[in-house]
Amino acid sequence: MNQQFPTSNSVDIMLFSEGTYPYVKGGVSSWILQLMKGLPEFSFGVCFIGATPYLDGELMQISYEFPENLKHLEVHYLFDDNDKKRPKAKRKKGNKEGFEAIEKLYKAFQNNSGEIPEVLKNLDFYTKEVTFDDFLHSELAWEFLTKIYSKNCPDVPFVDYFWTLRNIHKPIWTLANIVKNLPTTKIYHAPSTGYAGFIGSLASYTNNRPFFLTEHGIYTRERKIDMLSADWIEFKKPALLQQPQEYNYIKKMWITFFDKIGLFCYHRSNHILSLFSGARAIQINFGAPEQRTKVIPNGVDVDGLMKTMSKRKDPQKPIITLIGRVVPIKDIKTFIRAIKIASQTIPDIQGWIVGAVDEDREYVQECQQMAFALDLKGAIQNFDGNKSKLTIEELEKNEDKIKFFGHSNIKEILPKSALQTLSSISEGMPLVILEGFAAGVPCVATDVGSCRDLIEGGINSQDKAIGLAGAITGIANPDALAKEYVRFLNFENGVWAKAQAAGLKRVQKYYRQEMFLQEYRELYNEALSMTWDQLNEKRETL
């Protein structure tokens, strides 16, 4: 999809998109689009920040049409091929002030206190006091880096240490230069901490405008999980020769960096928003000022989705739908195993996997191979460059028990689904569960993110009294999932009907799109009606 990017000198709200809208479908991208379309009275900008222009080896493509009130879109990459075009480095002595600034930056990312050094808040530090070339090439900086290396991790290969340090800090200068050229903006808003949150916070410090943070997942926590499990930053050394402090030093550098970035965002935010109470508690535990935290649940188009119920057939086919990207964090393989187990009781059961298949092609192929190995086959739609695209109707007629639909219109999928499921090992607040409830589809999900709150009722006692809209199981437990599938698909026992009624009532009462949009409308209008001094005073006195 080739589209001309809109540009403007000024916007009401600038959203910072880290690897999401407008390239990657679903999740945070859907939320960003929902926010813009639902609040047409505001003009929006989107600043996309990606690692490289490629996804799974292919050039990324725009995945969304742009709403009329998206007035500005710019795209930046933190780790592209620009280094190949850089002029040859020149040796430089560096000046005392620049060296001291570099030392401050390094120590700012290494100390364990909650204090945010002033040097991190000053755009001139990155663009005038010390450039990235100074950081890489000055003799004084080099002397400092080698001293720290010798003190902390002399047995780690120096080249690993240097490139880790370089890759940690390079994006900071890139983001600072982006801030210099952003359009005039009244409110900055990021859907995560990390790089998106950092650029939003730095822009807020630079221009004295409010900054909102809405965390869909807890970025710092997720990055810790990534880093602790990553083998690409594992320093290998014979175990008998390792010292505990050096074994994870490279990983610790990354984790400390993201910890500090998270605090930087929390300390600057006027509002620190989350999607459910459990996420808010984690934010506070990670250093967010409690008085500035607030829960705003996601909302869905309840009325539009309820209309799809007229398309449901009776009796229903035993179709279980997993709506989500085909990536390891969604644990699609556990779902496939659960369908195999459940098929022993319900021979005509089907498992529909509805979500993008282009993010991790290797994992998609592994899932497909598992389906074939378990004699479930695995018809594929929207796979291999759309060369063999099948319609929903064609796939429905296919006799495979596992079917991959690719990214599809859920208003066509949900009326055909008896049950929705999530087998994820991590989630925030999945919109798909709410969308399923509004379309009359109960859900069986793993106990991650807000899934339990959505299914059992977690807002208040009245919400809990509505009843169960599905069931919760442990992660990576196909037997438990299969048991629930069989229980719900025995329509004669009344469990499915009660769950459908509970889901419909819950989503209508607590998760309407209008409620979600009104909360943001009020926050935006308040920020636009106050001076920076008034906003800052309110933030400090909360």
Side-chain angles (χ1 to χ4, degrees):
M1 184 185 298
N2 294 320
Q3 291 176 278
Q4 188 70 33
F5 288 0
T7 58
S8 176
N9 293 325
S10 63
V11 294
D12 292 328
I13 298 124
M14 178 63 70
L15 298 168
F16 297 97
S17 165
E18 183 177 335
T20 56
Y21 183 90
Y23 291 103
V24 178
K25 291 182 178 179
V28 175
S29 294
S30 298
W31 179 87
I32 288 175
L33 183 62
Q34 182 184 32
L35 194 66
M36 292 190 292
K37 292 178 69 174
L39 299 175
E41 65 267 38
F42 302 109
S43 63
F44 284 88
V46 172
C47 177
F48 173 88
I49 305 160
T52 75
Y54 299 94
L55 181 64
D56 200 26
E58 297 183 4
L59 191 66
M60 291 196 298
Q61 301 294 320
I62 298 292
S63 298
Y64 291 92
E65 297 290 341
F66 301 149
E68 291 185 4
N69 59 333
L70 176 57
K71 301 299 184 183
H72 181 87
L73 173 63
E74 57 184 76
V75 173
H76 304 276
Y77 299 102
L78 301 180
F79 302 101
D80 57 18
D81 294 330
N82 286 342
D83 286 347
K84 297 178 182 178
K85 305 172 186 176
R86 290 172 60 88
K88 186 176 180 180
K90 296 180 180 179
R91 183 171 178 172
K92 54 171 65 176
K93 178 67 177 176
N95 57 63
K96 186 173 183 293
E97 291 76 16
F99 165 72
E100 289 174 348
I102 290 172
E103 187 169 5
K104 286 179 182 177
L105 176 65
Y106 180 86
K107 289 182 177 179
F109 284 126
Q110 294 302 312
N111 72 61
N112 294 319
S113 72
E115 182 181 354
I116 304 298
E118 290 298 318
V119 68
L120 287 181
K121 307 172 186 177
N122 184 1
L123 185 65
D124 286 345
F125 165 72
Y126 309 96
T127 59
K128 295 180 181 179
E129 291 183 27
V130 54
T131 66
F132 190 59
D133 281 342
D134 291 328
F135 179 75
L136 278 185
H137 303 138
S138 75
E139 292 182 21
L140 288 173
W142 181 262
E143 291 170 5
F144 173 70
L145 295 180
T146 54
K147 180 179 70 174
I148 295 298
Y149 165 75
S150 298
K151 176 182 177 181
N152 293 312
C153 54
D155 290 330
V156 172
F158 181 77
V159 68
D160 291 350
Y161 170 80
F162 175 79
W163 281 99
T164 298
L165 197 69
R166 180 188 185 280
N167 288 335
I168 283 175
H169 291 88
K170 179 180 184 289
I172 299 301
W173 272 274
T174 302
L175 297 173
N177 282 300
I178 294 171
V179 169
K180 284 196 307 182
N181 300 306
L182 286 173
T184 301
T185 300
K186 297 175 182 176
I187 300 171
Y188 300 103
H189 192 170
S192 68
T193 59
Y195 296 122
F198 177 82
I199 191 173
S201 301
L202 186 59
S204 175
Y205 277 118
T206 302
N207 299 307
N208 278 340
R209 295 306 308 160
F211 170 59
F212 293 178
L213 173 66
T214 301
E215 287 199 271
H216 291 254
I218 305 302
Y219 189 101
T220 303
R221 183 187 186 202
E222 292 173 353
R223 295 295 75 76
K224 283 185 177 182
I225 294 172
D226 290 344
M227 296 302 164
L228 291 173
S229 61
D231 57 7
W232 57 273
I233 51 176
E234 186 75 61
F235 168 52
K236 302 297 184 184
K237 183 180 180 182
L240 291 175
L241 300 179
Q242 279 175 0
Q243 299 297 319
Q245 67 271 19
E246 71 186 23
Y247 177 69
N248 285 318
Y249 190 81
I250 298 294
K251 290 182 178 181
K252 182 182 177 184
M253 289 172 67
W254 280 104
I255 291 170
T256 303
F257 170 76
F258 285 118
D259 275 341
K260 187 60 63 176
I261 290 296
L263 283 173
F264 184 65
C265 299
Y266 288 154
H267 282 234
R268 183 58 181 178
S269 300
N270 295 78
H271 295 286
I272 303 167
L273 308 166
S274 56
L275 307 185
F276 59 103
S277 58
R280 176 175 178 264
I282 296 172
Q283 287 176 325
I284 294 168
N285 185 54
F286 273 59
E290 182 175 357
Q291 66 275 18
R292 278 189 248 149
T293 60
K294 178 181 173 68
V295 174
I296 299 182
N298 278 335
V300 296
D301 178 14
V302 173
D303 296 333
L305 287 160
M306 284 184 66
K307 291 177 182 177
T308 68
M309 292 177 64
S310 63
K311 301 177 183 178
R312 301 188 71 82
K313 294 181 180 179
D314 190 19
Q316 296 179 93
K317 294 181 179 179
I319 294 171
I320 302 176
T321 299
L322 188 155
I323 300 175
R325 297 167 296 130
V326 185
V327 292
I329 203 168
K330 300 294 183 181
D331 198 7
I332 306 298
K333 293 179 182 179
T334 287
F335 174 56
I336 294 171
R337 293 188 183 100
I339 291 295
K340 177 63 177 179
I341 296 168
S343 69
Q344 297 171 12
T345 305
I346 308 174
D348 58 341
I349 195 171
Q350 294 183 22
W352 289 12
I353 300 166
V354 181
V357 295
D358 54 0
E359 189 171 333
D360 190 334
R361 292 291 178 85
E362 183 178 352
Y363 185 73
V364 173
Q365 291 170 356
E366 290 174 2
C367 291
Q368 185 185 21
Q369 290 165 1
M370 173 180 282
F372 273 98
L374 294 175
D375 198 27
L376 303 172
K377 297 187 180 179
I380 298 282
Q381 178 190 13
N382 289 341
F383 185 70
D384 198 19
N386 291 327
K387 291 178 182 176
S388 57
K389 183 174 180 179
L390 302 174
T391 66
I392 291 175
E393 289 72 23
E394 289 171 332
L395 271 170
E396 185 178 8
K397 294 175 183 177
N398 184 284
E399 294 182 357
D400 292 4
K401 295 189 186 305
I402 290 292
K403 303 175 184 180
F404 293 77
F405 282 70
H407 193 276
S408 304
N409 184 349
I410 62 168
K411 289 187 177 180
E412 296 181 36
I413 294 290
L414 289 173
K416 300 177 184 295
S417 307
L419 199 62
Q420 190 184 177
T421 193
L422 284 178
S423 51
S424 309
I425 60 175
S426 179
E427 285 285 353
M429 181 182 181
L431 272 175
V432 293
I433 292 182
L434 299 175
E435 290 167 334
F437 288 171
V441 186
C443 183
V444 174
T446 47
D447 194 4
V448 293
S450 66
C451 293
R452 182 177 292 277
D453 287 353
L454 297 180
I455 290 172
E456 297 182 356
I459 290 181
N460 52 38
S461 58
Q462 290 83 8
D463 184 19
K464 197 170 188 66
I466 289 173
L468 302 177
I472 290 292
T473 73
I475 64 173
N477 191 336
D479 290 296
L481 285 172
K483 182 179 178 181
E484 294 297 343
Y485 297 163
V486 171
R487 184 167 71 95
F488 276 90
L489 294 179
N490 177 12
F491 298 111
E492 295 180 359
N493 63 17
V495 173
W496 185 92
K498 289 180 180 178
Q500 183 195 51
L504 282 165
K505 186 173 182 179
R506 179 165 292 127
V507 76
Q508 287 178 302
K509 186 171 182 178
Y510 295 109
Y511 298 105
R512 300 185 68 89
Q513 179 175 259
E514 307 90 274
M515 299 163 64
F516 147 79
L517 291 171
Q518 183 59 26
E519 294 242 40
Y520 278 102
R521 178 179 287 112
E522 291 174 0
L523 290 178
Y524 285 156
N525 279 327
E526 178 191 61
L528 293 173
S529 68
M530 299 172 70
T531 67
W532 170 251
D533 288 341
Q534 290 171 326
L535 285 166
N536 192 46
E537 181 180 356
K538 178 177 179 179
R539 184 183 64 177
E540 296 302 323
T541 56
L542 280 175

